[in-house]
């Protein structure tokens, strides 16, 4: 059994587990991570999994793959009296979401798109349930 150590960051009301995006992809759960998790601004491949659902999803996937996760808590206590800086990071976007956004906003001939064209393309790409 493989063992990995991860850091849990927290403030007075919530916590997040720091993992690498490659791990999520390898475990096959990257597309299942919610918008309540965050990704680093400077390092977008560092993902902060929110504790309620995404952290549990990750821990269960590790268990299913014979990976033991040891969790150490961050020693930064200043966030016990104010919101953690993670709350200001970008909302998590999967690799699939990033590709879709690039396709919407980047034309194949690299000419700038008008806002109306982007909106029209986005609306045309929405699949309505039957």
């Amino acid at each position: 059994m493989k063992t990995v150590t991860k850091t849990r960051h927290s403030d007075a009301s919530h916590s997040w587990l720091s993992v690498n995006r490659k791990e999520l992809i390898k475990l096959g759960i990257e597309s299942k991570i919610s918008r309540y998790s965050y990704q680093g601004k400077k390092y977008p491949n560092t993902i902060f999994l929110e504790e309620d659902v995404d952290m549990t999803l990750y821990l269960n996937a590790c268990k299913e793959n014979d990976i033991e996760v040891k969790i150490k808590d961050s020693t930064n206590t200043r966030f016990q009296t104010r919101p953690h800086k993670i709350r200001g990071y970008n909302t998590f976007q999967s690799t699939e979401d990033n590709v879709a956004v690039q396709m919407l906003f980047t034309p194949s001939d690299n000419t700038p798109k008008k806002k109306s064209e982007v909106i029209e393309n986005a609306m045309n790409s929405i699949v309505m349930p039957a």
Side-chain angles (χ1 to χ4, degrees):
M1 178 178 277
K2 180 181 175 181
T3 301
V4 295
T5 301
K6 299 295 169 191
T7 302
R8 179 175 34 209
H9 307 271
S10 60
D11 60 19
S13 62
H14 213 66
S15 69
W16 304 266
L17 190 68
S18 175
V19 302
N20 189 288
R21 182 184 302 272
K22 288 180 185 178
E23 292 177 77
L24 302 176
I25 294 169
K26 190 172 184 179
L27 291 168
I29 62 170
E30 190 214 18
S31 64
K32 297 176 183 177
I33 301 301
S34 75
R35 63 182 178 88
Y36 297 107
S37 289
Y38 295 94
Q39 58 192 46
K41 286 184 178 182
K42 191 172 181 181
Y43 303 101
N45 288 324
T46 301
I47 310 302
F48 299 92
L49 301 174
E50 62 80 32
E51 67 183 335
D52 294 328
V53 176
D54 296 336
M55 186 187 306
T56 302
L57 176 70
Y58 171 77
L59 294 173
N60 288 339
C62 285
K63 187 176 182 179
E64 290 171 8
N65 286 276
D66 292 324
I67 301 169
E68 179 185 3
V69 181
K70 292 189 178 195
I71 299 175
K72 66 176 188 167
D73 287 311
S74 170
T75 57
N76 193 337
T77 58
R78 71 180 178 173
F79 296 115
Q80 296 309 309
T81 57
R82 61 181 178 195
H84 202 289
K85 65 182 179 180
I86 289 172
R87 293 179 184 273
Y89 290 174
N90 296 326
T91 301
F92 174 78
Q93 279 192 319
S94 71
T95 305
E96 292 173 7
D97 291 343
N98 287 333
V99 169
V101 167
Q102 282 184 332
M103 289 174 67
L104 280 174
F105 289 93
T106 307
S108 58
D109 62 359
N110 290 324
T111 58
K113 283 190 175 183
K114 294 180 184 174
K115 187 176 180 181
S116 59
E117 287 179 281
V118 171
I119 293 169
E120 184 178 337
N121 286 347
M123 294 302 291
N124 289 337
S125 69
I126 295 173
V127 177
M128 299 301 288

